[in-house]
Amino acid sequence: MPKKVAPRPSVRERLLDAANELFYREGVQTVGIDRIVEHAGVAKASLYNTFGSKEELVRAYLECRHVSTSERITRAMARFRTPCERLLGVFDAQGELFTDPTFNGCAFVRASAETTHGSSIEHAADDYRTWVRTMFTDLAEEAGVADPESLARQLHLLYDGAGVSARMDRDPSASTTARAAATALFDAAPKAQSN
């Protein structure tokens, strides 16, 4: 029986894989189009035909990272039974990322720091941050917190701070510290009155 050959990834997939690897490791402004197309093994025209511009490739790269992050966190939260455990489990999922030898900080912070105000890159980063804040708000509400938006803002700061600490201090245990602080914040947060 002949061996099945896996289909070759599409041009779009190869460009996004190359962008993910190079942009995340080196930064979106440092890596030029020529390196991306060489790494992807495609013609330069293919990049422009697929994305139209480098900015749109960066936006698509960030959107892919957003999807993979949300899927990873959703999978991690599924391991927990209660709303409180799921809320705190976000920091466990973050900690798993911090132990990856290729962890290089938050792709969204890095890319938005390298772009202009109002760009599609900034919008992709804003969409991700809105998703994180909404996730924390929804989890806090499910856990019975009286002011879920306020707790979500605090947890989002911990989440961001843990990412910066893990990268800048090369400290994968930053998520454990953030989880402990999140536990204290959750425990201190007034709970909604049940009817």
Side-chain angles (χ1 to χ4, degrees):
M1 180 172 216
K3 191 174 178 180
K4 275 191 170 181
V5 176
R8 184 171 181 178
S10 70
V11 167
R12 185 179 205 294
E13 291 168 328
R14 287 185 282 157
L15 285 165
L16 284 171
D17 286 346
N20 187 49
E21 182 181 332
L22 295 173
F23 288 159
Y24 185 67
R25 186 175 64 218
E26 299 174 31
V28 297
Q29 293 303 320
T30 304
V31 176
I33 292 297
D34 291 336
R35 286 203 45 222
I36 295 287
V37 296
E38 179 184 337
H39 198 73
V42 301
K44 190 183 280 191
S46 297
L47 184 142
Y48 291 107
N49 289 337
T50 305
F51 295 103
S53 67
K54 180 180 177 183
E55 181 175 318
E56 288 306 304
L57 173 61
V58 175
R59 181 196 52 75
Y61 146 73
L62 291 174
E63 287 175 349
C64 287
R65 288 198 75 91
H66 181 158
V67 168
S68 66
T69 299
S70 63
E71 288 173 350
R72 182 177 44 75
I73 289 174
T74 300
R75 277 192 311 273
M77 286 190 307
R79 298 189 308 242
F80 301 101
R81 293 176 301 125
T82 70
C84 176
E85 289 171 344
R86 284 191 293 278
L87 185 143
L88 298 173
V90 171
F91 296 96
D92 296 337
Q94 192 181 35
E96 292 167 7
L97 182 63
F98 295 168
T99 62
D100 184 328
T102 64
F103 177 71
N104 199 20
C106 177
F108 302 93
V109 170
R110 293 180 70 208
S112 65
E114 296 182 51
T115 193
T116 57
H117 179 65
S119 71
S120 63
I121 296 167
E122 183 181 63
H123 291 298
D126 290 348
D127 288 346
Y128 169 75
R129 292 189 61 72
T130 298
W131 174 80
V132 172
R133 179 76 52 81
T134 300
M135 172 191 62
F136 277 129
T137 302
D138 292 348
L139 289 168
E141 188 171 10
E142 289 171 24
V145 172
D147 186 358
E149 279 110 19
S150 178
L151 181 61
R153 288 183 61 78
Q154 295 168 345
L155 296 175
H156 197 176
L157 286 171
L158 286 174
Y159 182 87
D160 288 346
V164 169
S165 183
R167 169 64 178 98
M168 299 296 294
D169 301 334
R170 290 164 292 292
D171 179 13
S173 71
S175 64
T176 304
T177 304
R179 189 186 204 284
T183 301
L185 286 170
F186 177 78
D187 290 346
K191 305 306 181 268
Q193 299 295 320
S194 48
N195 295 332

